[in-house]
């Protein structure tokens, strides 16, 4: 097998994984079947782990199985496992590290692609609950203005502003 074919398989797998991750995040994690685990990711975390981290374990097991099957029977599948693992590392660094600050230090990007990715995922978390969320990808981030427009048209931002205004009023003593 020439070196070009494995490299192409790895790159194509990384690209395809973003579509797979979007789909799993949108329709499974935010759906009735997967929300039980994923809900912890949308709530305040106490400690270094959350129930949502079980998804990483599931995907790691799938990668290990792909490596084993690829080693035994289909070598091209081994390279698919490499691509899936590369995507997992990208996910860990970008999503868990950059966006959710699960690193031992804090860095908020000021401009460019990483700023857009950071903002897009923060807008994903602007919604309480599993419905009306935006931006389900982990590496691709739609334009932030488009996401804000989506949230505004769904009425989520108005509900959120009203809730915060009511909470602010409840905290103020009577004049």
């Amino acid at each position: 097998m020439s070196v070009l074919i494995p490299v192409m398989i790895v790159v194509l797998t990384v690209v395809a994984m973003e579509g797979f991750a979007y789909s799993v995040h949108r329709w499974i994690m935010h759906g009735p079947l997967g929300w039980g685990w994923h809900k912890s990711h949308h709530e305040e975390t106490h400690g270094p782990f959350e129930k949502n981290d079980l998804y990483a374990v599931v995907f790691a097991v799938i990668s290990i199985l792909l490596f084993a099957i690829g080693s035994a029977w289909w070598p091209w599948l081994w390279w698919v496992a490499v691509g899936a693992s590369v995507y997992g590392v990208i996910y860990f660094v970008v999503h868990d590290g950059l966006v959710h600050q699960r690193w031992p230090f804090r860095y908020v990007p000021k401009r460019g692609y990483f700023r857009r990715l950071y903002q897009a995922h923060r807008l994903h978390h602007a919604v309480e609950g599993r419905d009306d969320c935006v931006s389900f990808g982990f590496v691709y981030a739609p334009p932030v203005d488009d996401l804000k427009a989506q949230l505004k048209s769904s009425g989520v931002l108005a509900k959120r502003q009203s809730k915060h205004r009511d909470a602010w009023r409840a905290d103020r003593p009577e004049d």
Side-chain angles (χ1 to χ4, degrees):
M1 195 183 295
S2 98
V3 100
L4 184 60
I5 292 172
V7 169
M8 284 178 45
I9 292 171
V10 169
V11 169
L12 288 173
T13 301
V14 170
V15 170
M17 283 299 298
E18 178 65 3
F20 175 77
Y22 174 97
S23 298
V24 168
H25 187 199
R26 172 70 185 93
W27 290 290
I28 295 176
M29 292 179 180
H30 278 258
L33 294 176
W35 185 246
W37 285 2
H38 191 61
K39 181 180 179 186
S40 68
H41 184 63
H42 286 263
E43 298 173 337
E44 188 175 333
T45 303
H46 304 285
F49 298 106
E50 53 193 43
K51 201 172 194 179
N52 183 68
D53 293 333
L54 291 171
Y55 283 113
V57 174
V58 168
F59 295 130
V61 168
I62 291 170
S63 288
I64 291 166
L65 289 172
L66 291 175
F67 276 118
I69 293 167
S71 293
W73 296 289
W74 298 305
W76 61 270
L77 198 56
W78 193 88
W79 293 106
V80 169
V82 170
S85 298
V86 167
Y87 184 85
V89 169
I90 293 169
Y91 168 87
F92 174 73
V93 169
V94 171
H95 179 265
D96 285 354
L98 178 70
V99 175
H100 288 289
Q101 306 292 319
R102 291 175 85 177
W103 290 336
F105 60 91
R106 184 164 171 75
Y107 171 72
V108 177
K110 303 286 186 232
R111 62 189 169 295
Y113 164 75
F114 288 112
R115 174 72 175 166
R116 179 172 148 177
L117 190 63
Y118 179 84
Q119 288 178 313
H121 201 74
R122 300 310 297 169
L123 287 170
H124 173 78
H125 285 270
V127 176
E128 290 183 23
R130 66 185 179 103
D131 299 322
D132 297 318
C133 287
V134 295
S135 188
F136 291 94
F138 294 108
V139 177
Y140 169 73
V144 172
D145 289 340
D146 293 353
L147 298 174
K148 287 179 180 178
Q150 267 184 277
L151 288 170
K152 186 175 182 179
S153 70
S154 72
V156 168
L157 292 181
K159 284 184 231 171
R160 191 167 178 204
Q161 287 171 342
S162 173
K163 181 179 177 182
H164 289 293
R165 190 172 34 252
D166 293 344
W168 178 77
R169 285 183 183 145
D171 289 340
R172 292 187 66 198
E174 291 293 323
D175 292 328

